Amino acid sequence: MKILRFPKLPRTPVLLSLLLVLLCAQAGAQSFYWETPKVLVPDKARFPVADSGGDLVAVVWQEVESRPEGGGRIYLSIQTSRDFRSWRRNDRFIGPLPYEEQEVQLYSMAVDGTGTIYLAVAAGARQTELYRSSDDGRSFTLLSTIEAGSAALAPGISLTDGGNILLFVTQEQGNSLFIYYTVSTNGR
């Protein structure tokens, strides 16, 4: 059996090389960091949701006006940005939407690859509305209203890579809840 022996190196260059590698690694790691967080929604905002597509990021939330006897009205507000420095806000662009007893989330949002924003909103006990904004959330167009046979809750919207819009709703039937979905190529 042959034993390999490596030549002895002076300790100083080895230690300096190791120290240099460690310092460079630490300096490289420090170049990746998170910026200081910024608050995007007001104190009383409920159920904030964020999504992005293309170079647009959008944040939507519910604002509530509660009644002392229970229930109240809900409004949707949005902020959008294309550079993360300047934000455009559109307060209460949808509403008022009435709610009874306990407040629940009435909407979902998706942003496609071009920056178009889609919203599904539970506008009534059996009614879901689909909205679209192509101007960074400045205005929204009602694309369609979908009527359900019984109470429809918690709409969910999703976009496929092929450009289809998927709408999911939870619907009550007797003592059970079921999830239904529908697909559209244009939201109508």
Side-chain angles (χ1 to χ4, degrees), residues 14 71 107 122 135 177 183:
V14 171
Y107 75 97
D135 60 3
L177 295 175
V183 180

Side-chain angles (χ1 to χ4, degrees), residues 60 74-76 93-98 105-110 117-133 140-148 152-158 165-169 182 184 186-188:
V60 176
I74 295 174
Y75 298 86
L76 297 183
F93 65 92
I94 292 179
L97 302 166
Q105 185 170 350
L106 295 181
Y107 75 97
S108 70
M109 172 185 62
I117 303 166
Y118 292 90
L119 283 171
V121 179
R126 297 178 178 193
Q127 192 175 63
T128 301
E129 295 177 342
L130 183 63
Y131 292 88
R132 177 180 60 209
S133 174
F140 284 82
T141 303
L142 177 63
L143 296 177
S144 60
T145 301
I146 297 141
E147 294 284 339
L153 313 165
I157 191 166
S158 183
I165 303 167
L166 301 172
L167 176 64
F168 299 90
V169 294
T182 185
S184 174
N186 62 8
R188 297 186 188 271

